DNA sequence: GCGTTCGACTTGAACGATCCAACAACCGAC
DNA sequence: GTCGGTTGTTGGATCGTTCAAGTCGAACGC
């Protein structure tokens, strides 16, 4: 501090009248150092405000304690915010575990794979977090094939492999149980007395969307209402939500809408308001969304909240066990986390 | 690749029948190497797929080429998305310039300063980007006093210092010209024939808010309409936006609302819709927001877009000149970037 | 009493790059 | 033919840490 250059192991060693290695041992395996010596070294460390140079350490140990994350392309949708909160939680959890998060960008999956190679070769990044896997993702396969530690936020929806292998199928992942989420939302509406609960979803084929659909269906089936269901599928946008809801509301018996996303729910809300204006005195149609984005909070929309903090914590845990090479049998390598419903005005009454 | 371990400078040197240093020169100062030798070395590099180990380089040169950014606390407001897009742009620009972005979190300003020290001492981070400066910020002062390269996204609104010094006042920053933004929005409305354009803003005292207010006022003054203005100030939320707009719309002569943020504009839109429903046939009140968030796009709201890509590019540029130690006189150390208006449905006609 | 084991600590080498000073080769000049 | 200067190349030292092997003295068993 005083002379401008930072103290090193040797400085501390001289100060405590021991060797470099002993200081290093105090930090890395304190149990091999006699208590009184340890005490003396720790005092010297404190006095000099010594902090180990992680760069030098990394050069020797080939471990960086850095995680890589591709900055997901700025999605136009509202739900992009989930990734945002996840990133925050991930940084937090990683830091708590002594890891850092480093960002990078890439145009497409192939460019991302090239960046993996690059980051591994040049900076020695320890592992990666993938936040937006999709069906037939080449990235998980590449990482698995090259023995690079990684975790995905999101299940591998497509488990087929060209060569019939199964490596990618069993990679570690953490995900939100969307099915449980929509199920809870639907059950909440059924409990409130709604009998005709429609679903506004995405086109079939997206793993996430189908999963959420399944939850809604399961809840209705549980109540014996699955014989004649109302479903409308559409792209994820507010405008599409308005259109979809308007069509569904034409059926006058529908009293509640479970939406696959907050975007669609936001549109549905507008349609419901319109619909209600034409039928004064009638109880307004209830609406629920998914993701509990800030927008949902803003417009008082009931929504299914994704506990991204939990996801991040488990992701870091899974990565650590891979990086440290301990094949933790006790640790589930696939983690499904239950979301919870945040009940707000729109599922009670809409103005 | 084949034998599992990556090639080093020495490997390449042997392969090209030159010394380590010559290979290093080819990479770092190619002009000192004779063309034919250079060619031979480059071929060896390509054949072996050699990539310099940045960790070893960093240990020697004490330069990490890594920028630190505190992950801003997940703001509940919609405008938090601006930071999100900025983060993406920053990562992109940094990568283009051969830099990386590393994230960290901190509870408060003091903890953040401790993290600065920590990151500098242990990982040798080259510089920092501060994305959320506020009045009387201790962080900029600390960084300036310790000679750490940094740039802020946002002007220092409070220029006073306890000891009367001026260091912090002159730190490099990049910001969006909010005044120019609201001015453009207001002018756009005036051009469309509106005469009574109200302003929905934040409470006085926030630099950003006052700046945006000033732009609106300047536009009205330019049109000779500044004598009797309509202003309502409120906290940044959708609900507050509804309330504020409702009160302002009670004055029947107001035909347009310039809002300080998309959150408030979103609320205003709801109030306008209500207002219009009670006065069928009348031309609906126009609304503009600020930030051009995804929500604005979603509900077709005219808004002032912040060119975060430009901000990021200039920020990286300013950081580089500091890190590389070149006191670029030609480079403006304070950069104000003009936003642009994105005209959408809400400033033409509201349904 | 002597060899063996053990605990506590020290020493030299390595990680992979860059910096520095020295050196070989070449050119033209006297 | 020797010399000074330029250009291109070389080997050794260095950054700060950890690994592997080694030293030293005390405790132990027979």
């Amino acid at each position: 501090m005083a002379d401008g250059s930072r103290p090193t192991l040797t400085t501390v060693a001289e100060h405590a009248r021991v060797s470099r290695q002993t200081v290093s041992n105090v930090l890395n395996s304190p149990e091999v150092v006699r208590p009184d010596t340890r005490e003396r070294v720790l005092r010297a460390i404190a006095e000099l405000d010594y902090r180990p140079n992680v760069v030098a350490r990394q050069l020797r140990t080939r471990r960086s304690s850095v995680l890589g994350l591709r900055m997901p392309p700025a999605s136009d949708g509202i739900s992009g915010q989930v990734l945002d909160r996840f990133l925050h939680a991930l940084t937090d959890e990683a830091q708590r575990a002594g890891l850092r998060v480093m960002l990078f960008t890439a145009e497409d999956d192939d460019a991302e794979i090239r960046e993996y190679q690059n980051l591994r070769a040049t900076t020695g990044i320890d592992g990666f977090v993938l936040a937006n896997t999709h069906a037939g993702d080449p990235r998980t396969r590449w990482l698995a094939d090259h023995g690079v530690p990684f975790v995905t936020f999101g299940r591998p929806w497509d488990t087929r492999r060209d060569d019939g292998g199964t490596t990618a199928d069993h990679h570690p992942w953490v995900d939100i149980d969307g099915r449980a989420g929509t199920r809870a939302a639907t059950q909440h509406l059924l409990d409130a007395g709604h009998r005709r609960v429609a679903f506004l979803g995405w086109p079939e084929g997206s793993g996430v969307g189908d999963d959420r659909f399944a939850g809604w269906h399961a809840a209705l089936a549980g109540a014996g209402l699955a014989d004649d269901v109302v479903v409308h599928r559409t792209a994820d946008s507010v405008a599409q939500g308005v259109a979809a809801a308007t069509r569904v509301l034409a059926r006058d018996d529908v009293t509640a809408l479970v939406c696959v996303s907050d975007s669609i729910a936001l549109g549905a809300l507008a349609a419901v308001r319109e619909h209600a204006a034409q039928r004064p005195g009638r109880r307004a149609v209830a609406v629920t969304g998914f993701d509990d984005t800030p927008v949902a909070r803003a417009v008082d929309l009931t929504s299914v909240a994704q506990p991204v903090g939990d996801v991040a914590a488990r992701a870091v845990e899974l990565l650590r066990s891979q990086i440290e090479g301990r094949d933790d049998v006790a640790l589930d390598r696939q983690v499904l986390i239950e979301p919870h419903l945040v009940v707000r005005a729109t599922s009670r009454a809409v103005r």
Coordinates of all heavy atoms in Angstrom, one line a residue, chain C residues 5-25:
Chain C
dT5 P 10.1 -47.0 8.0 OP1 9.3 -48.2 7.6 OP2 10.9 -46.3 7.0 O5' 9.2 -46.0 8.8 C5' 8.6 -46.4 10.0 C4' 8.0 -45.1 10.7 O4' 9.1 -44.3 11.2 C3' 7.2 -44.2 9.8 O3' 5.9 -44.0 10.3 C2' 8.0 -42.9 9.7 C1' 8.8 -43.0 11.0 N1 10.0 -42.2 11.0 C2 10.3 -41.3 12.1 O2 9.5 -41.1 13.0 N3 11.5 -40.7 12.1 C4 12.5 -40.8 11.1 O4 13.5 -40.2 11.2 C5 12.2 -41.7 10.0 C7 13.2 -42.0 8.9 C6 11.0 -42.4 10.1
dC6 P 4.8 -43.4 9.4 OP1 3.5 -44.2 9.7 OP2 5.2 -43.2 8.0 O5' 4.6 -41.9 10.1 C5' 4.6 -41.8 11.5 C4' 4.9 -40.4 11.9 O4' 6.4 -40.2 11.7 C3' 4.3 -39.3 11.0 O3' 3.3 -38.6 11.8 C2' 5.4 -38.4 10.5 C1' 6.6 -38.8 11.4 N1 7.9 -38.7 10.8 C2 8.9 -37.9 11.4 O2 8.6 -37.4 12.5 N3 10.1 -37.8 10.8 C4 10.3 -38.4 9.6 N4 11.6 -38.2 9.1 C5 9.4 -39.2 9.0 C6 8.1 -39.3 9.6
dG7 P 2.3 -37.6 11.0 OP1 1.0 -37.8 11.6 OP2 2.6 -37.7 9.6 O5' 2.9 -36.2 11.5 C5' 3.2 -36.0 12.9 C4' 3.9 -34.7 13.1 O4' 5.3 -34.9 12.5 C3' 3.3 -33.5 12.4 O3' 3.4 -32.4 13.3 C2' 4.2 -33.3 11.2 C1' 5.5 -33.8 11.6 N9 6.4 -34.4 10.6 C8 6.0 -35.3 9.6 N7 6.9 -35.6 8.8 C5 8.0 -34.9 9.3 C6 9.4 -34.9 8.8 O6 9.9 -35.5 7.9 N1 10.2 -34.1 9.6 C2 9.7 -33.4 10.7 N2 10.6 -32.6 11.3 N3 8.5 -33.4 11.1 C4 7.7 -34.2 10.4
dA8 P 2.7 -31.0 12.9 OP1 2.3 -30.4 14.2 OP2 1.8 -31.2 11.8 O5' 4.0 -30.3 12.4 C5' 5.0 -29.8 13.3 C4' 6.0 -29.0 12.6 O4' 6.7 -29.8 11.7 C3' 5.4 -27.8 11.8 O3' 6.0 -26.6 12.1 C2' 5.6 -28.2 10.3 C1' 6.9 -29.1 10.5 N9 7.0 -30.1 9.4 C8 6.1 -30.9 8.9 N7 6.5 -31.8 8.0 C5 7.9 -31.5 7.9 C6 8.9 -32.1 7.1 N6 8.7 -33.0 6.3 N1 10.1 -31.6 7.3 C2 10.3 -30.6 8.3 N3 9.4 -30.0 9.0 C4 8.2 -30.5 8.8
dC9 P 5.5 -25.2 11.5 OP1 5.7 -24.2 12.5 OP2 4.2 -25.4 10.8 O5' 6.6 -25.0 10.3 C5' 8.0 -25.0 10.7 C4' 8.9 -25.3 9.5 O4' 8.5 -26.6 8.9 C3' 8.8 -24.3 8.4 O3' 9.9 -23.5 8.4 C2' 8.7 -25.1 7.1 C1' 9.0 -26.6 7.6 N1 8.4 -27.6 6.7 C2 9.2 -28.4 5.9 O2 10.4 -28.2 5.9 N3 8.6 -29.4 5.1 C4 7.3 -29.6 5.2 N4 6.8 -30.5 4.5 C5 6.5 -28.8 6.1 C6 7.0 -27.8 6.8
dT10 P 10.1 -22.3 7.3 OP1 10.9 -21.3 7.8 OP2 8.8 -22.1 6.7 O5' 11.0 -23.1 6.2 C5' 12.3 -23.7 6.6 C4' 13.0 -24.2 5.5 O4' 12.3 -25.4 4.9 C3' 13.3 -23.3 4.3 O3' 14.6 -23.3 3.9 C2' 12.3 -23.7 3.2 C1' 12.2 -25.2 3.5 N1 11.0 -25.9 3.0 C2 11.0 -26.9 2.1 O2 12.0 -27.3 1.6 N3 9.8 -27.4 1.8 C4 8.6 -27.1 2.3 O4 7.5 -27.6 2.0 C5 8.6 -26.0 3.3 C7 7.3 -25.5 3.9 C6 9.8 -25.4 3.6
dT11 P 15.3 -22.2 3.0 OP1 16.6 -22.0 3.5 OP2 14.3 -21.1 2.8 O5' 15.4 -23.0 1.6 C5' 16.1 -24.2 1.6 C4' 15.9 -24.9 0.2 O4' 14.6 -25.5 0.1 C3' 16.1 -24.0 -1.0 O3' 17.1 -24.5 -1.8 C2' 14.7 -23.9 -1.6 C1' 14.1 -25.3 -1.2 N1 12.6 -25.3 -1.1 C2 11.9 -26.3 -1.7 O2 12.5 -27.2 -2.3 N3 10.6 -26.3 -1.5 C4 9.8 -25.3 -0.9 O4 8.6 -25.3 -0.8 C5 10.6 -24.2 -0.3 C7 9.9 -23.1 0.4 C6 11.9 -24.3 -0.4
dG12 P 17.7 -23.7 -3.0 OP1 19.1 -23.9 -3.1 OP2 17.1 -22.3 -3.0 O5' 17.0 -24.4 -4.3 C5' 17.3 -25.8 -4.5 C4' 16.4 -26.3 -5.6 O4' 15.0 -26.3 -5.2 C3' 16.5 -25.6 -6.9 O3' 16.5 -26.5 -8.0 C2' 15.3 -24.7 -6.9 C1' 14.3 -25.6 -6.2 N9 13.2 -25.0 -5.5 C8 13.2 -23.8 -4.7 N7 12.0 -23.5 -4.2 C5 11.2 -24.5 -4.7 C6 9.8 -24.7 -4.6 O6 9.0 -24.0 -3.9 N1 9.3 -25.8 -5.2 C2 10.1 -26.6 -6.0 N2 9.5 -27.6 -6.6 N3 11.4 -26.5 -6.2 C4 11.9 -25.4 -5.5
dA13 P 16.6 -26.1 -9.5 OP1 17.6 -27.0 -10.1 OP2 16.9 -24.6 -9.5 O5' 15.2 -26.4 -10.1 C5' 14.6 -27.7 -9.9 C4' 13.2 -27.7 -10.4 O4' 12.4 -27.0 -9.5 C3' 13.0 -27.1 -11.8 O3' 12.2 -28.0 -12.5 C2' 12.4 -25.8 -11.5 C1' 11.5 -26.1 -10.3 N9 11.2 -25.0 -9.4 C8 12.0 -24.0 -9.0 N7 11.4 -23.1 -8.2 C5 10.1 -23.6 -8.1 C6 9.0 -23.1 -7.4 N6 9.0 -22.0 -6.6 N1 7.8 -23.8 -7.5 C2 7.9 -24.9 -8.3 N3 8.8 -25.5 -9.0 C4 10.0 -24.7 -8.8
dA14 P 12.1 -27.8 -14.1 OP1 12.2 -29.2 -14.7 OP2 13.0 -26.7 -14.6 O5' 10.6 -27.3 -14.3 C5' 9.5 -28.1 -13.9 C4' 8.2 -27.3 -13.7 O4' 8.4 -26.3 -12.7 C3' 7.9 -26.5 -15.0 O3' 6.7 -27.1 -15.5 C2' 7.6 -25.1 -14.4 C1' 7.6 -25.2 -12.9 N9 8.2 -24.1 -12.3 C8 9.4 -23.6 -12.4 N7 9.7 -22.5 -11.6 C5 8.5 -22.3 -11.0 C6 8.1 -21.4 -10.0 N6 8.8 -20.4 -9.6 N1 6.8 -21.5 -9.5 C2 6.0 -22.5 -10.0 N3 6.3 -23.4 -10.9 C4 7.6 -23.3 -11.3
dC15 P 6.4 -26.8 -17.1 OP1 6.1 -28.1 -17.7 OP2 7.5 -25.9 -17.6 O5' 5.1 -25.8 -17.0 C5' 4.0 -26.2 -16.2 C4' 3.2 -24.9 -16.0 O4' 3.8 -24.2 -15.0 C3' 3.2 -24.0 -17.2 O3' 2.0 -24.3 -18.0 C2' 3.1 -22.6 -16.6 C1' 3.4 -22.8 -15.1 N1 4.5 -22.0 -14.6 C2 4.3 -21.3 -13.4 O2 3.2 -21.3 -12.9 N3 5.4 -20.5 -12.9 C4 6.6 -20.5 -13.6 N4 7.5 -19.8 -13.0 C5 6.8 -21.3 -14.7 C6 5.7 -22.0 -15.2
dG16 P 2.2 -24.5 -19.6 OP1 1.0 -25.1 -20.1 OP2 3.5 -25.2 -19.8 O5' 2.4 -23.0 -20.2 C5' 1.3 -22.2 -20.2 C4' 1.8 -20.8 -20.5 O4' 2.7 -20.3 -19.4 C3' 2.5 -20.6 -21.8 O3' 2.0 -19.5 -22.5 C2' 4.0 -20.4 -21.4 C1' 3.8 -19.6 -20.1 N9 4.9 -19.6 -19.2 C8 5.9 -20.6 -19.1 N7 6.8 -20.3 -18.2 C5 6.4 -19.1 -17.7 C6 7.0 -18.3 -16.7 O6 8.0 -18.5 -16.0 N1 6.3 -17.1 -16.5 C2 5.1 -16.8 -17.1 N2 4.6 -15.6 -16.8 N3 4.6 -17.5 -18.1 C4 5.2 -18.7 -18.3
dA17 P 2.3 -19.3 -24.0 OP1 1.0 -19.2 -24.7 OP2 3.3 -20.2 -24.5 O5' 3.0 -17.8 -24.0 C5' 2.2 -16.7 -24.0 C4' 2.7 -15.7 -22.9 O4' 3.4 -16.4 -21.9 C3' 3.7 -14.7 -23.4 O3' 3.0 -13.5 -23.9 C2' 4.4 -14.3 -22.1 C1' 4.3 -15.6 -21.3 N9 5.5 -16.3 -21.0 C8 6.0 -17.4 -21.6 N7 7.1 -17.9 -21.1 C5 7.5 -16.9 -20.2 C6 8.6 -16.8 -19.4 N6 9.6 -17.7 -19.3 N1 8.7 -15.7 -18.6 C2 7.7 -14.8 -18.6 N3 6.6 -14.8 -19.3 C4 6.5 -15.9 -20.1
dT18 P 3.7 -12.5 -24.8 OP1 2.7 -11.6 -25.3 OP2 4.6 -13.2 -25.7 O5' 4.6 -11.7 -23.8 C5' 4.0 -10.8 -22.9 C4' 5.1 -10.2 -22.0 O4' 6.0 -11.2 -21.5 C3' 6.0 -9.2 -22.8 O3' 6.2 -8.1 -21.9 C2' 7.3 -10.0 -23.0 C1' 7.3 -10.8 -21.7 N1 8.1 -12.1 -21.8 C2 9.1 -12.3 -21.0 O2 9.4 -11.5 -20.1 N3 9.8 -13.5 -21.1 C4 9.5 -14.5 -22.1 O4 10.1 -15.5 -22.1 C5 8.4 -14.2 -23.0 C7 8.0 -15.2 -24.0 C6 7.8 -13.0 -22.8
dC19 P 6.7 -6.7 -22.6 OP1 5.8 -5.6 -22.1 OP2 6.9 -6.8 -24.0 O5' 8.1 -6.5 -21.9 C5' 8.2 -6.4 -20.5 C4' 9.6 -6.5 -20.0 O4' 10.1 -7.9 -20.2 C3' 10.6 -5.6 -20.8 O3' 11.3 -4.9 -19.8 C2' 11.4 -6.5 -21.6 C1' 11.4 -7.8 -20.8 N1 11.5 -9.1 -21.6 C2 12.5 -10.0 -21.2 O2 13.1 -9.8 -20.2 N3 12.6 -11.2 -21.9 C4 11.8 -11.3 -23.0 N4 12.0 -12.5 -23.7 C5 10.9 -10.4 -23.4 C6 10.8 -9.3 -22.7
dC20 P 12.2 -3.6 -20.2 OP1 12.0 -2.7 -19.1 OP2 11.9 -3.2 -21.6 O5' 13.7 -4.2 -20.1 C5' 14.1 -5.1 -19.1 C4' 15.4 -5.7 -19.5 O4' 15.2 -6.9 -20.3 C3' 16.3 -4.9 -20.3 O3' 17.6 -4.8 -19.7 C2' 16.4 -5.6 -21.7 C1' 16.1 -7.0 -21.3 N1 15.5 -7.9 -22.4 C2 16.0 -9.2 -22.6 O2 16.9 -9.6 -21.9 N3 15.5 -9.9 -23.6 C4 14.5 -9.4 -24.3 N4 14.0 -10.2 -25.3 C5 14.0 -8.1 -24.2 C6 14.5 -7.4 -23.2
dA21 P 18.6 -3.6 -20.1 OP1 18.9 -2.8 -18.9 OP2 18.1 -2.9 -21.3 O5' 19.9 -4.5 -20.5 C5' 20.2 -5.6 -19.6 C4' 21.0 -6.6 -20.5 O4' 20.1 -7.3 -21.4 C3' 22.1 -6.0 -21.3 O3' 23.2 -6.8 -21.1 C2' 21.5 -6.0 -22.7 C1' 20.7 -7.3 -22.7 N9 19.6 -7.3 -23.7 C8 18.8 -6.3 -24.1 N7 17.9 -6.6 -25.0 C5 18.2 -8.0 -25.2 C6 17.6 -8.9 -26.1 N6 16.6 -8.7 -26.9 N1 18.1 -10.2 -26.0 C2 19.1 -10.5 -25.2 N3 19.7 -9.6 -24.3 C4 19.2 -8.4 -24.4
dA22 P 24.6 -6.4 -21.7 OP1 25.6 -6.5 -20.6 OP2 24.5 -5.2 -22.5 O5' 24.9 -7.6 -22.7 C5' 24.7 -9.0 -22.3 C4' 24.6 -9.9 -23.5 O4' 23.4 -9.6 -24.2 C3' 25.7 -9.7 -24.5 O3' 26.3 -11.0 -24.8 C2' 25.0 -9.1 -25.7 C1' 23.6 -9.6 -25.6 N9 22.6 -8.9 -26.2 C8 22.3 -7.5 -26.1 N7 21.3 -7.1 -26.8 C5 20.9 -8.3 -27.5 C6 19.9 -8.5 -28.5 N6 19.1 -7.5 -28.9 N1 19.7 -9.7 -29.0 C2 20.6 -10.7 -28.5 N3 21.6 -10.6 -27.6 C4 21.7 -9.3 -27.2
dC23 P 27.7 -11.1 -25.6 OP1 28.4 -12.2 -24.8 OP2 28.2 -9.8 -25.8 O5' 27.2 -11.7 -27.0 C5' 26.3 -12.8 -27.0 C4' 25.7 -12.9 -28.4 O4' 24.7 -11.8 -28.6 C3' 26.7 -12.7 -29.5 O3' 26.7 -13.7 -30.4 C2' 26.3 -11.4 -30.2 C1' 24.8 -11.4 -29.9 N1 24.1 -10.1 -30.0 C2 23.0 -10.0 -30.9 O2 22.6 -11.0 -31.5 N3 22.3 -8.8 -31.0 C4 22.7 -7.8 -30.3 N4 22.1 -6.6 -30.5 C5 23.9 -7.8 -29.5 C6 24.5 -9.0 -29.4
dA24 P 28.0 -14.3 -31.1 OP1 28.3 -15.6 -30.5 OP2 29.0 -13.2 -31.2 O5' 27.5 -14.5 -32.6 C5' 26.4 -15.4 -32.8 C4' 25.6 -14.9 -34.1 O4' 25.0 -13.6 -33.8 C3' 26.5 -14.7 -35.3 O3' 25.9 -15.5 -36.4 C2' 26.5 -13.2 -35.6 C1' 25.2 -12.8 -34.9 N9 25.2 -11.4 -34.4 C8 26.0 -10.8 -33.5 N7 25.7 -9.6 -33.3 C5 24.6 -9.3 -34.0 C6 23.8 -8.2 -34.2 N6 24.1 -7.0 -33.5 N1 22.8 -8.2 -35.0 C2 22.5 -9.4 -35.7 N3 23.2 -10.6 -35.6 C4 24.2 -10.4 -34.8
dA25 P 26.6 -15.7 -37.7 OP1 26.3 -17.1 -38.2 OP2 28.0 -15.4 -37.6 O5' 25.9 -14.7 -38.7 C5' 24.5 -14.7 -38.8 C4' 24.1 -13.5 -39.6 O4' 24.2 -12.3 -38.8 C3' 24.9 -13.2 -40.9 O3' 24.0 -13.2 -42.0 C2' 25.6 -11.9 -40.6 C1' 24.7 -11.3 -39.6 N9 25.3 -10.3 -38.6 C8 26.4 -10.5 -37.9 N7 26.7 -9.5 -37.1 C5 25.7 -8.6 -37.4 C6 25.5 -7.3 -36.9 N6 26.3 -6.7 -36.0 N1 24.4 -6.6 -37.4 C2 23.6 -7.2 -38.3 N3 23.8 -8.5 -38.8 C4 24.8 -9.1 -38.3

